Amino acid sequence: MVAYLVLEMRQSLPDAATHVTNWIGAAYVLTLFGAFLADAYLGRFKTIILFSCVYAVGMVLLTLSASIDGLHPAPCYTKELCPKPTTNQNAYLIVALALIAVSTGGIKPCVSSFGADQFDEADEKEVPKKFAFFNWFFFAINMGALLGITLMVYVKEEKGWGWGFGVPTGAMIVSIFVLAAGIPFYRYQKPMGSPFTRFAQVIVASLKNHFRGVEVESELQLYEVQTMESDIKRARKLQHTRQFKFLDKAAVITDPETSTQNRWKLCTITQVEEFKSIIRILPIWASTIALSISFAQLATFFTSQALIMDRKLGSNFIIPAGSVTVFSAINPLILIPIYEKFIVPILRRHTGHYRGITSLQRMGVGLFVSIFALASAALVEKKRLDSLTPSKMSVFWLFPQYFLIGTAEVFTYVGQLEFFYDEATDGTRSISSALFLTEIGIGSWLSTAIVKIIESATGGQEKGWLRNNLNKSRLDYFYWILSGINGLNFLVYLWVSRRYKGRRSGAVSGSIRDESLIEMSVHDQEFKKGDEK
């Protein structure tokens, strides 16, 4: 997209980079909207199918934008006579990209959760497979990315932009039919109502009771329905935890004659604990956003460096600039099978943890590696600028930064998939996945903000660190800043993760409800198995 905006839509490199990161940011932040629809109304599968169809429409429009002469500027023969895109041409492209962004927001928070839903948590044999699924899910994503940055870039180079966008459009349409073919075999989780409404009810009820002077002295004061299932449709009951005691006030019965059906006045323990589970993961969420700023460089400045370096492979073949990201895409394809088949069993024997290391530890490894990924990028760019002929420097010098950022992604991304799914409750699985995905969007926006701040502080696109001509820029300084941000972020993450208490570790033990909760858990497992049969 950066190349398309620069070469076809006549945008400057910094503007194209920021437009792409803004677009990616919007797509990932919109995952909250998609997750809301899935959890509250449509369910995950229907949401995926619906937005996949909208995505296909957006891809068709994008293909037409590149294929029809009237929908993009005329060819440029001399620099002085390069025509700019018209308002209508820009508007058409914006509509196409907006549909793709909205559809991304609907699909992404549901796909990984829907895949994990296929494994029964009550079956000891299926639980390890569920977490192995996250590894192979990420493997599949990178296989698609590999085809995109090799085969599709080759098609674009040989056949033009129309074919470059057209082939993935056809693949997207085919994928809808492939997904639909599994309808008779899937396990489905029905929607459980709006989690945001339930969160608001907890906040309102706890504030009302707080201003009335209500104090929580005993767990016995807290209200829970007496049925086997919770008050939230098709959700299991949750055990009370001692964290965030202020919110417990929402479940205190202040008047025996008060209706227990009005959730704006009285919430259940399960409803309060559901909200606590989201609040609990927010510090982890916030302390991993910085890594997404580094990921944003893969599609922008990393590719821009490749454009002006020597991309010869052998005597005749020239690597397309858009295919250089294969360095990072191949990494997961190699590392994930090795990690899953060899490293996890070794770690499991030493740690006793069925995943080898915890999700939090896995995320920490990725954050640590990201520091060196950006430091490597800075050192290579400094070497390129110091050489007498920067354009003669081989593109393979970029391999370390791509390899390291790919390694960071394998550890952190998969760790986040595991963590946000595992810590979510029955009614917040899509929302939790969306919360993780918003990191990518916010990271893209922060990347844009940092670029704009650096441009403004160093003299703009004419004299600053980031110019339209990278040979006159100081991109290495920009990379050092990102490396420093990643370093500080890693320290913050260590502090936050060491103090994190999961929703299970914070549960009250030895309480009157413990025995009934165990019985209830057994009942829920039997009910779930019977429902599946």
Side-chain angles (χ1 to χ4, degrees):
M1 282 310 304
V2 173
Y4 183 72
L5 293 180
V6 171
L7 300 175
E8 296 296 311
M9 301 304 289
R10 315 286 193 261
Q11 295 184 10
S12 70
L13 176 58
D15 286 344
T18 53
H19 288 159
V20 168
T21 51
N22 284 337
W23 172 57
I24 294 172
Y28 280 92
V29 170
L30 283 169
T31 55
L32 286 173
F33 171 69
F36 168 76
L37 285 180
D39 281 343
Y41 301 110
L42 299 178
R44 285 188 266 277
F45 179 76
K46 289 181 181 178
T47 304
I48 295 168
I49 285 289
L50 172 64
F51 282 100
S52 291
C53 293
V54 178
Y55 196 113
V57 172
M59 287 296 294
V60 168
L61 295 180
L62 180 61
T63 303
L64 294 176
S65 172
S67 304
I68 299 175
D69 291 340
L71 297 178
H72 59 263
C76 179
Y77 298 105
T78 62
K79 191 172 182 179
E80 290 75 17
L81 299 177
C82 283
K84 293 290 185 181
T86 65
T87 301
N88 289 338
Q89 288 170 344
N90 279 328
Y92 183 89
L93 179 62
I94 288 171
V95 169
L97 294 179
L99 289 176
I100 294 172
V102 171
S103 305
T104 299
I107 297 168
K108 280 194 174 291
C110 301
V111 173
S112 60
S113 295
F114 181 69
D117 287 343
Q118 306 312 305
F119 301 91
D120 186 0
E121 292 182 345
D123 190 329
E124 292 182 359
K125 294 180 179 179
E126 291 196 23
V127 171
K129 293 179 181 179
K130 180 182 74 173
F131 292 101
F133 160 77
F134 288 122
N135 277 319
W136 296 113
F137 173 74
F138 187 62
F139 180 92
I141 289 175
N142 280 275
M143 180 62 73
L146 182 64
L147 292 173
I149 59 184
T150 53
L151 179 62
M152 289 303 97
V153 171
Y154 175 78
V155 169
K156 190 276 294 181
E157 293 287 333
E158 294 296 318
K159 299 293 185 179
W161 289 102
W163 279 95
F165 289 135
V167 174
T169 300
M172 184 67 200
I173 294 171
V174 170
S175 75
I176 297 173
F177 289 97
V178 173
L179 182 66
I183 288 176
F185 310 103
Y186 296 137
R187 291 171 175 172
Y188 301 91
Q189 298 287 342
K190 295 180 180 179
M192 301 179 181
S194 169
F196 292 121
T197 301
R198 296 196 295 271
F199 298 162
Q201 289 170 339
V202 172
I203 294 171
V204 170
S206 59
L207 286 174
K208 283 182 178 179
N209 284 341
H210 173 73
F211 289 121
R212 290 174 184 168
V214 173
E215 296 293 337
V216 182
E217 297 178 357
S218 169
E219 185 193 356
L220 297 176
Q221 295 176 266
L222 305 182
Y223 172 71
E224 183 59 275
V225 295
Q226 299 303 309
T227 55
M228 293 300 295
E229 290 187 350
S230 74
D231 190 49
I232 301 169
K233 291 185 294 184
R234 291 173 290 276
R236 290 166 290 184
K237 287 184 178 180
L238 299 175
Q239 195 171 356
H240 174 248
T241 61
R242 292 192 174 95
Q243 287 178 292
F244 313 115
K245 291 183 179 180
F246 177 85
L247 297 176
D248 289 340
K249 296 180 180 182
V252 174
I253 301 176
T254 56
D255 185 353
E257 298 182 1
T258 301
S259 171
T260 58
Q261 301 303 312
N262 188 344
R263 293 291 168 257
W264 293 99
K265 292 183 178 180
L266 179 65
C267 301
T268 65
I269 290 176
T270 295
Q271 187 175 347
V272 172
E273 291 301 322
E274 181 185 60
F275 186 41
K276 285 183 181 181
S277 72
I278 291 295
I279 295 177
R280 198 174 285 121
I281 63 178
L282 289 179
I284 299 293
W285 170 80
S287 61
T288 50
I289 289 177
L291 183 58
S292 296
I293 302 175
S294 301
F295 289 160
Q297 311 317 312
L298 282 171
T300 54
F301 287 113
F302 281 19
T303 303
S304 301
Q305 284 177 283
L307 274 169
I308 58 174
M309 297 178 74
D310 182 6
R311 290 176 275 116
K312 290 181 181 178
L313 182 61
S315 57
N316 298 319
F317 184 72
I318 296 178
I319 303 172
S323 294
V324 175
T325 48
V326 71
F327 292 154
S328 66
I330 286 178
N331 187 337
L333 301 183
I334 298 172
L335 187 57
I336 286 176
I338 293 174
Y339 181 82
E340 186 65 29
K341 295 298 183 181
F342 300 104
I343 298 178
V344 168
I346 294 172
L347 291 173
R348 190 180 290 144
R349 286 197 294 270
H350 286 83
T351 65
H353 195 278
Y354 64 96
R355 277 178 266 170
I357 57 176
T358 67
S359 301
L360 290 174
Q361 290 169 336
R362 183 165 184 165
M363 290 154 60
V365 171
L367 294 174
F368 183 69
V369 171
S370 70
I371 302 171
F372 300 97
L374 272 296
S376 171
L379 292 171
V380 169
E381 178 63 8
K382 178 67 165 58
K383 179 176 179 61
R384 191 186 71 82
L385 292 174
D386 289 345
S387 64
L388 297 176
T389 54
S391 60
K392 296 295 184 181
M393 187 172 176
S394 173
V395 73
F396 286 96
W397 279 93
L398 300 180
F399 176 78
Q401 66 200 60
Y402 276 106
F403 178 83
L404 290 171
I405 205 71
T407 302
E409 191 175 13
V410 167
F411 279 94
T412 304
Y413 189 97
V414 179
Q416 287 171 313
L417 282 173
E418 294 175 353
F419 175 80
F420 284 96
Y421 185 89
D422 200 31
E423 291 299 313
T425 62
D426 290 337
T428 60
R429 286 272 158 79
S430 297
I431 291 294
S432 185
S433 295
L435 194 62
F436 144 59
L437 290 166
T438 59
E439 290 186 2
I440 301 173
I442 294 172
S444 295
W445 284 347
L446 288 174
S447 176
T448 298
I450 292 171
V451 168
K452 292 297 184 183
I453 291 170
I454 290 176
E455 275 186 0
S456 177
T458 60
Q461 293 186 14
E462 299 298 325
K463 299 180 180 179
W465 290 359
L466 303 175
R467 308 182 194 182
N468 201 34
N469 185 343
L470 284 188
N471 288 332
K472 296 180 180 179
S473 302
R474 292 312 308 246
L475 189 59
D476 55 326
Y477 293 166
F478 173 67
Y479 286 153
W480 279 122
I481 289 175
L482 294 186
S483 181
I485 290 174
N486 285 344
L488 291 174
N489 179 77
F490 176 67
L491 296 177
V492 172
Y493 176 80
L494 286 180
W495 185 83
V496 170
S497 61
R498 285 177 66 87
R499 286 158 178 76
Y500 179 78
K501 293 181 179 180
R503 65 185 179 92
R504 295 176 180 85
S505 63
V508 176
S509 59
S511 68
I512 294 174
R513 287 195 180 87
D514 279 353
E515 187 174 342
S516 60
L517 281 167
I518 293 170
E519 293 174 357
M520 195 179 305
S521 176
V522 172
H523 173 274
D524 287 344
Q525 291 174 9
E526 292 174 349
F527 179 82
K528 186 173 182 181
K529 289 180 179 178
D531 185 50
E532 287 166 1
K533 290 178 183 177

